[in-house]
Amino acid sequence: MTTADVTGEVLAVTDETFRAEVLERPGPVLVDFWAQWCPPCHMIAPVLAQLAAERAGSLTIRKINNDENPLTGRDYQVMSLPTLILFRDGRPIRTIVGARPKARLAAELDDALNPPRPQ
């Protein structure tokens, strides 16, 4: 198993595949909780596709339709869409609610993945 996707694609996961595709995958995985009826979800989708391509090999990005897979959203207390949860080695380390411009989202991900070191 690789540390992150090298394809740069945002692949869909389900309640059934979430454990294998997210929790058991080494390295950082960003999960997009979305729904078909959600306009901001459609706005952020191309941003996530760009980030997936740019960060292939260092960040895996997955999406899960919250309406079709309610158990995972319930488990992670997803109350608004889109909700992005960044996992590292199976543990959630940052939750981002709402659509963001690419630069802001990239900065938030960098901040979560590379926290400042204590001096």
Side-chain angles (χ1 to χ4, degrees):
M1 194 181 300
T2 60
T3 56
D5 241 350
V6 293
T7 63
E9 294 181 71
V10 180
L11 301 176
V13 297
T14 64
D15 285 340
E16 291 76 28
T17 63
F18 189 83
R19 175 171 292 287
E21 287 291 321
V22 177
L23 302 180
E24 294 175 357
R25 183 176 289 274
V29 181
L30 181 66
V31 180
D32 172 26
F33 290 82
W34 72 285
Q36 188 64 42
W37 53 263
C38 166
C41 297
H42 292 284
M43 290 171 45
I44 202 166
V47 170
L48 294 173
Q50 289 174 0
L51 287 172
E54 291 170 7
R55 297 183 180 211
S58 64
L59 176 67
T60 299
I61 301 180
R62 295 289 182 254
K63 62 183 177 179
I64 185 165
N65 185 314
N66 203 56
D67 287 344
E68 296 173 2
N69 301 280
L71 301 178
T72 304
R74 180 202 66 202
D75 290 348
Y76 290 96
Q77 301 173 350
V78 172
M79 305 301 258
S80 298
L81 298 176
T83 290
L84 307 174
I85 301 178
L86 181 62
F87 292 82
R88 179 186 273 147
D89 299 323
R91 293 185 322 273
I93 61 169
R94 175 76 54 96
T95 299
I96 300 167
V97 179
R100 308 261 193 291
K102 181 181 168 191
R104 182 169 163 207
L105 179 57
E108 289 183 59
L109 293 173
D110 289 341
D111 180 57
L113 292 170
N114 305 302
R117 295 182 180 187
Q119 297 187 6

